[in-house]
Amino acid sequence: MSQRTAPIPARHGVTPSFLQLPAGDWPDLFSFLLERFAHIPAKTWRSRLEKGEVFDHLGRPHSLASPYPANRRIWYYRETEQEVIVPFEADILYRDTRLVVADKPHFLACIPGGRHVQQTLLTRLRSQLDLPALTPIHRLDRETAGVMLFCVDPACRAGYQMLFQSRQVQKEYEAIARFDQSLVLPRIHQSLLREEPGRFVMREIAGTPNSETRIELLAQRGHWGRYRLLPHTGRKHQLRAHLAALGIPILNDPWYPRLLGDKAADDFSAPLQLLARAISFTDPYSGKTQRFTSARRLDWPDAD
C-alpha cells in the first residue's frame, strides 16, 4: 500500500481524511489532537477515540490511551456538528462506465469542505449510485446550479481534466442581473482577477488580463436582464466578478459587488441567479461529441 492510499474505505460516501503527524513529545495522541484541532470540542475527539474512529497508517483503530505516533499518518472521517440538510436534489443527466453528469441544485456544495460533509453533491452521488471512487472533474460554486461532470473510473479522470486545462470544453451559463441600457452587448470582457488577501472574493486590478467572458443579452424584463455568459477562462468567481465589475451584479449574490457575508445556513429563500446551462466537449475516449444541458431555470424577480 502506498503512503497516499487510504487504509480504510469510504463511509456514507465520504472518503477518509489524513494527517501527517510531526515529530514531538506529546504524552498521547489525544493530547496532540486537542492542541492541533483547538476549534473542535475535546468531547468530540474523546468520543472518536473511544469508538475506534481514528486509525493508524495500517488502518488499525487508535484508542484513548494510544501513545503519540510521531512521524506517522493518522486517518479519520470528517464530521460536522448539526449539518444543515439541503432540501434539494440533483438529477442525473447521463451515466456510463466513465462519466456521471449531474444537474446540481443551488445551495448544494460540490465536495466536502468546511461545514459541508454529507450535504454535498459528491457524497450524495457516491452513496446514491454506489460509486465510492467517483470524483469531480471540475467545480461549481455552492451557490451555482447546473451541469457538473464526475468521473467514474479514476484511470480516466486525467483525460477529462486535460480537456478543461486545454480549454477544449465549451461552457455556457445563464444569469439574471440588472439591465443597463448603456452597456453595449454582446461584448468580450477581459480583466486581471486576483483574490483579495485574507478574503473570499476576487477583484479586478490593473494588469495583463487572465480572465475572459463573452456576455450576451438573451431577454429583458423591466429593470432586469437574462444574460448568456460564455467563459473562455475558468478563474474563481469569474462570472460573478465580471458582471459586478460592469455594474450589473448577479441577482442574490451575497459576495458581489460588496462583501455581505453568508446568509443563515438554512436560508434557501433567495438562490443566486446563476446557472451552468450547458457543457459540450469531444469525449477523449469514445471520440463522441457530447452536450449536456440543465433542465433547471432561473426565476425573474418581481416587477418592482
Side-chain angles (χ1 to χ4, degrees), residues 14 34 48 169 213 229 261 263 268 274 302:
V14 178
L34 294 184
R48 291 182 184 181
V169 176
T213 304
L229 309 174
K263 299 180 296 183
F268 304 116
L274 179 62
D302 294 336

Side-chain angles (χ1 to χ4, degrees), residues 17 30 37 39 87 145 180 231 271 283:
S17 299
F30 180 54
F37 298 98
H39 60 290
D180 183 352
D283 190 287

